[in-house]
Amino acid sequence: MGPTRPSMQELIGRRRRAGFVGRVEERAAFRRNLSLPPEDERHRFLFHVHGAAGVGKTRLVRELEQIAREAGALTAYVDEGAAGVPEALAVMARQFVGQGRRFKELERLLAVHRERRHEAESALVVGGAEEREGPSAGSLAVARAAQVGLGMVPVAGAFAVALDTDRLAQGADRLRARFRSQEDVQLVLSPERVLTPVLLTELAGAADSAPWIVLLLDTYERTGPFLDPWLHDVMTTDRYGALPANVVVVTSGQRPFDTARWGSFADFRTDLPLAPFTEAEARGLLADKGVRDEPVVAEVLRLTGGLPVLVSTLAESGPVGPAEVGDPSATAVDRFLKWERDPVRRAAALAGALPRQLDEDVFRAVVDGTRDQADALFAWLRGMPFVDERGGRMRYHDVVRAPMLRLQRLRSPRGWTERHTRLAEAYGRRRAEAEGDVRPEEPWADEEWRELRLGESYHLLCARPRAALPTVLADVVTACAHGDDAVRPWVRLLAEAGEDADAEAVRTWGRDLSEALAAGGLAGLLRLLLGRARGDEPWRATAWALRADALARDGDHERALEDYDRALALDPSLVRAHRGRAVTRGGTGDYEGALADLDRVLELEPDNPWNVILRGEHHRLARHHDEAVADLSEGIRRDPTSEFAWASRGAAHERHGDLDAALADFDRALALKPDYAWALARRSRVWRGLDDQARRLADLDRALALQPDWAWGRCERGDALRVAGRDEEAVADYDRALALDPGYAYAYASRGVSLSRLGRHEEGLADLDHAIALQPDYPWALEHRAAIRHRITL
């Protein structure tokens, strides 16, 4: 039997679904596109819907989604609820599951991403520092990277923004001290690099069974800043792999498409600019709702200007005369609701506009009456045309919500304050309950907690803007420690609360922070915060420490140390600042200064095992053998699963000459984490001491297979090859090390010796001269330079 044909009633129902009329040409263009194979030159891979607020963009996008579903397409809809690319992919994965298609590998990696990001934000661990004859540019970059593992700098976003590719290549091994694989590191630093190829693979699998895959990206004016460059790469380059040809993308926002980025894609894109309804379209919608009386129709057309959401809303109640047509403009919402005879419903509609998003729990907190009455009102409100429901939560359309808010604020300032206070308290209670399910030190890593905190803060800003602003700015600073994806919702919150409450100070902060974040990232945002801070702002110390982290990552250690000092002058007990200053000092070779800071860290936070492990590592770098072993042993006792602590103690034993103990510790670290590149490279030194050159090279080969762009590892293998008499291969590794780290004195010296052994004495002497210029008190280089000169003169 063939498929059952739909009835006429079903087809008419589809056409009239949710009162959708108009936009005939736009819907027809999209439907026609799905009838064309991707190979057809008339087929378009991208549609962009754009127009002013209230013009019906979201409704059209939802209608296009339904058209795609009817054509058998697999669809995913993403809006501003996603704060970054990983969140957008998570939304897609959830929606695909709802259509019977599970993207298992993508779901797995998204779960790993969330877990690793949380680990990076909360962990206080640092990878082992490369040892060489004095610090170089690479070692300093590594020291900055180490701060990420310590939880002292924002990881998910901020680190990736602040650290350029070369420094990341030099410093990624530090993150390996915490994470299990290079994939884990990338899932924290650049999650889209790992997740996007998997998405494309999953889409390719789905494309074999679905005629079309349609991705709909709404509210692009908000999501575009992070989704647009990603989407451009996905659709126009092979950076992440191949996108199936039967994928169609729909974007929707207030602005036209960015022609600077997408200009060459014009032949493959269709723009769908939306204007207000024509008079014919508006009349059609009104007629569909039973509003046909000409004076009423004329009044609706006059008041709405053809904005679909307003035409639909005013038509919904079926006014019978011009006097019953409500004015949707700012101060006439009472007329707008006048045709709703039930005063309880009218009050509920106004109260429901107060929260930014609405669910049953929030609604009960803002309306009067019993639970059953509130639930009945909520069910009624869900059917209103100005309400959009997504994922069990409702949002009023901005064109309707804004005048409702203005009316309530102007009509009853005291009632406005009381209702927002009640809502803030309700969110606060739910936030406190959520805190019972997360670790006390890391509520910010919990998505539910953050959402509740945002809701609470919004209503506090609306109720008492001046009183709430300092606390919310402190939360903005705290969010900076968790990356730009975490900060963006707070900046948006300030802008929205300032507008809704007509609070100029809040509105200005929101606007200026948004501009600072867009122009200068988190560093620019922190610069603005500190530039405007008053002397009594409680968040200044944390902001100085965060800015110091950014300066340290960029190599400006002197200014970083100054900012850490400023932070500690304001708050001498700020652990973040002590720890950041310790790692910055350690990165410049000031191990004694670093240890002094770490002593203070342990006084302030004695129960954290990573603090004692970190101090043990710095004792090791300072060549305090007994102190290093004592601290690292204590760290292992407290946390025997820390592969880094085992490896660091192994390195201490190896340097001290206790090769059996070192080998046992490295073996334990590698049992915990088999792909631990640093432990493999350090264990190779044990094999060197045991004169087992085959195992030495085997460990170094494995380490570099895991982490090819590692200057210290390359130099170590160059030494192993040189000792084995394989000088040409050794020179190749030294070349690679110096390309990665041009200030690496030891690599110059070692290459100079190998070049001389190959008969290239002048080149060898030039390298040794360079090494000594970088490090004048370098005995090994001085000795070999003298020996080569002597050999040449014989």
Side-chain angles (χ1 to χ4, degrees):
M1 295 179 62
T4 304
R5 289 180 176 272
S7 67
M8 180 183 296
Q9 290 87 346
E10 288 174 321
L11 291 175
I12 293 174
R14 289 179 186 176
R15 296 182 187 181
R16 298 177 61 183
R17 184 172 40 251
F20 194 95
V21 299
R23 310 307 185 200
V24 175
E25 294 182 3
E26 292 84 356
R27 290 183 291 161
F30 187 75
R31 187 179 285 110
R32 185 167 54 250
N33 194 65
L34 297 182
S35 70
L36 299 172
E39 297 80 10
D40 193 308
E41 290 189 358
R42 294 170 296 172
H43 179 80
R44 295 295 180 262
F45 298 101
L46 177 63
F47 286 77
H48 182 60
V49 179
H50 60 94
V55 81
K57 298 185 296 297
T58 293
R59 283 212 163 189
L60 176 59
V61 170
R62 286 299 199 181
E63 179 67 9
L64 298 184
E65 180 181 28
Q66 188 61 37
I67 290 171
R69 291 275 187 97
E70 291 169 1
L74 187 67
T75 70
Y77 172 90
V78 178
D79 62 12
E80 75 273 17
V85 172
E87 289 82 357
L89 300 190
V91 170
M92 293 179 190
R94 287 195 296 271
Q95 294 185 18
F96 291 144
V97 169
Q99 297 165 70
R101 182 77 193 197
R102 187 159 192 177
F103 285 14
K104 294 182 179 179
E105 181 61 12
L106 180 61
E107 291 177 34
R108 182 189 71 79
L109 283 175
L110 284 165
V112 174
H113 161 68
R114 289 189 290 269
E115 180 182 345
R116 297 295 173 265
R117 184 172 65 181
H118 175 74
E119 290 179 11
E121 290 171 352
S122 61
L124 302 174
V125 70
V126 60
E130 293 99 336
E131 293 181 46
R132 59 185 76 195
E133 301 298 328
S136 70
S139 65
L140 300 183
V142 168
R144 293 192 290 278
Q147 298 177 54
V148 176
L150 288 166
M152 294 181 297
V153 296
V155 180
F159 179 74
V161 169
L163 195 61
D164 62 41
T165 303
D166 291 339
R167 290 174 181 163
L168 178 59
Q170 295 166 359
D173 61 294
R174 295 304 187 95
L175 295 181
R176 286 185 164 278
R178 177 64 183 168
F179 298 123
R180 298 175 180 82
S181 66
Q182 180 65 15
E183 181 180 89
D184 287 350
V185 176
Q186 291 299 321
L187 276 171
V188 171
L189 298 179
S190 302
E192 69 280 358
R193 295 184 183 179
V194 179
L195 297 172
T196 307
V198 177
L199 170 71
L200 298 186
T201 300
E202 303 268 29
L203 288 174
D208 294 336
S209 56
W212 298 102
I213 299 171
V214 178
L215 307 178
L216 305 107
L217 310 177
D218 203 359
T219 56
Y220 213 57
E221 66 274 7
R222 293 183 175 176
T223 60
F226 58 85
L227 281 182
D228 197 57
W230 171 81
L231 183 65
H232 183 268
D233 281 347
V234 167
M235 295 190 72
T236 67
T237 76
D238 59 0
R239 177 180 182 184
Y240 299 116
L243 184 67
N246 61 341
V247 172
V248 175
V249 178
V250 178
T251 57
S252 172
Q254 294 184 10
R255 295 182 288 273
F257 227 53
D258 181 359
T259 54
R261 174 175 284 146
W262 290 88
S264 61
F265 205 69
D267 291 343
F268 308 94
R269 184 186 79 238
T270 292
D271 283 330
L272 298 178
L274 296 189
F277 273 168
T278 64
E279 181 175 334
E281 288 173 325
R283 286 178 177 274
L285 189 152
L286 291 168
D288 189 61
K289 297 292 185 180
V291 180
R292 298 182 176 86
D293 185 66
E294 183 55 33
V296 176
V297 170
E299 184 68 0
V300 170
L301 294 176
R302 182 185 71 82
L303 291 172
T304 64
L307 282 178
V309 67
L310 299 182
V311 175
S312 178
T313 298
L314 293 182
E316 188 66 30
S317 65
V320 296
E324 294 191 9
V325 177
D327 185 349
S329 61
T331 61
V333 180
D334 51 344
R335 292 182 60 201
F336 169 66
L337 293 173
K338 194 174 186 178
W339 29 259
E340 176 52 67
R341 303 295 196 273
D342 186 344
V344 175
R345 284 186 171 182
R346 293 176 69 244
L350 285 168
L354 294 173
R356 294 196 301 165
Q357 56 185 15
L358 201 60
D359 59 28
E360 288 186 273
D361 293 331
V362 174
F363 188 69
R364 293 188 196 111
V366 75
V367 297
D368 299 320
T370 67
R371 182 185 181 110
D372 289 343
Q373 290 171 329
D375 290 348
L377 288 169
F378 187 75
W380 165 76
L381 196 57
R382 290 173 66 176
M384 296 301 289
F386 56 78
V387 171
D388 183 27
E389 185 171 359
R390 308 172 194 173
R393 296 180 179 179
M394 303 190 321
R395 298 179 185 179
Y396 281 37
H397 195 288
D398 289 343
V399 172
V400 174
R401 180 172 179 257
M404 285 187 171
L405 292 177
R406 284 194 295 272
L407 175 68
Q408 294 179 84
R409 189 183 70 245
L410 295 173
R411 177 182 287 174
S412 177
R414 178 174 294 178
W416 168 271
T417 298
E418 290 174 352
R419 285 184 179 273
H420 279 292
T421 299
R422 190 194 309 176
L423 282 163
E425 291 170 349
Y427 271 103
R429 286 191 296 271
R430 291 172 63 182
R431 174 183 56 79
E433 292 170 2
E435 286 173 359
D437 298 327
V438 298
R439 293 188 295 179
E441 70 276 11
E442 274 301 325
W444 283 85
D446 184 77
E447 182 179 357
E448 179 188 6
W449 185 94
R450 290 197 307 268
E451 286 299 317
L452 293 170
R453 181 72 168 179
L454 282 164
E456 179 184 14
S457 299
Y458 170 80
H459 293 294
L460 288 172
L461 284 169
C462 287
R464 294 179 176 84
R466 288 187 179 180
L469 184 57
T471 300
V472 175
L473 290 176
D475 280 349
V476 172
V477 172
T478 303
C480 287
H482 300 269
D484 51 355
D485 285 352
V487 171
R488 198 177 290 115
W490 287 92
V491 173
R492 187 186 305 159
L493 171 83
L494 283 161
E496 291 182 10
E499 192 64 35
D500 295 344
D502 194 26
E504 184 58 30
V506 178
R507 182 164 43 224
T508 299
W509 270 110
R511 181 189 65 243
D512 294 350
L513 287 173
S514 179
E515 293 174 357
L517 184 63
L522 289 179
L525 183 144
L526 287 165
R527 185 163 49 248
L528 174 66
L529 280 164
L530 288 166
R532 292 188 181 173
R534 303 190 309 267
D536 59 347
E537 298 288 11
W539 44 261
R540 285 195 305 146
T542 300
W544 281 116
L546 286 168
R547 200 180 82 151
D549 294 340
L551 290 168
R553 287 194 307 274
D554 288 338
D556 194 343
H557 295 89
E558 184 176 349
R559 289 178 61 204
L561 290 171
E562 290 174 357
D563 279 0
Y564 285 128
D565 289 343
R566 290 188 178 100
L568 291 168
L570 292 167
D571 184 357
S573 62
L574 186 60
V575 173
R576 168 186 292 276
H578 282 293
R579 206 161 33 221
R581 191 169 67 177
V583 173
T584 302
R585 286 173 165 175
T588 61
D590 181 10
Y591 301 125
E592 299 301 331
L595 287 166
D597 275 324
L598 290 168
D599 287 342
R600 181 61 176 148
V601 168
L602 277 162
E603 291 176 12
L604 294 167
E605 199 176 70
D607 295 330
N608 192 322
W610 296 119
N611 290 336
V612 71
I613 291 170
L614 176 60
R615 189 174 67 177
E617 168 68 357
H618 278 79
H619 275 303
R620 183 185 72 81
L621 293 171
R623 305 201 176 192
H624 302 160
H625 174 73
D626 292 341
E627 293 87 345
V629 170
D631 272 350
L632 292 167
S633 298
E634 175 62 16
I636 288 169
R637 185 190 69 79
R638 297 187 191 185
D639 183 6
T641 66
S642 171
E643 66 274 3
F644 167 72
W646 287 101
S648 183
R649 193 175 71 173
H653 285 314
E654 183 273 326
R655 169 174 275 171
H656 198 60
D658 191 347
L659 299 184
D660 290 337
L663 187 59
D665 279 352
F666 284 129
D667 287 347
R668 179 61 177 161
L670 289 163
L672 290 166
K673 181 180 173 183
D675 57 355
Y676 191 172
W678 190 82
L680 286 164
R682 297 300 310 208
R683 189 173 68 175
S684 75
R685 289 193 164 190
V686 178
W687 300 127
R688 179 186 66 183
L690 296 172
D691 198 26
D692 191 335
Q693 299 302 324
R695 287 183 174 177
R696 180 186 182 189
L697 275 169
D699 271 356
L700 288 166
D701 287 344
R702 282 182 60 197
L704 287 168
L706 291 164
Q707 196 170 327
D709 295 330
W710 185 14
W712 184 78
R714 288 284 171 188
C715 196
E716 284 289 299
R717 192 171 69 172
D719 287 349
L721 292 167
R722 178 168 52 81
V723 169
R726 296 159 62 179
D727 285 292
E728 288 188 3
E729 295 171 79
V731 167
D733 268 341
Y734 295 137
D735 288 344
R736 184 72 176 276
L738 288 166
L740 293 166
D741 184 357
Y744 198 166
Y746 185 85
Y748 278 111
S750 297
R751 188 175 69 175
V753 171
S754 279
L755 287 170
S756 179
R757 287 170 53 168
L758 291 169
R760 297 158 64 180
H761 302 300
E762 294 302 325
E763 294 174 71
L765 283 173
D767 270 354
L768 285 160
D769 287 343
H770 199 152
I772 293 165
L774 289 168
Q775 192 173 327
D777 57 344
Y778 191 170
W780 191 86
L782 290 165
E783 292 169 7
H784 279 80
R785 184 175 69 174
I788 294 171
R789 284 176 174 173
H790 177 71
R791 191 161 53 249
I792 291 174
T793 59
L794 291 178

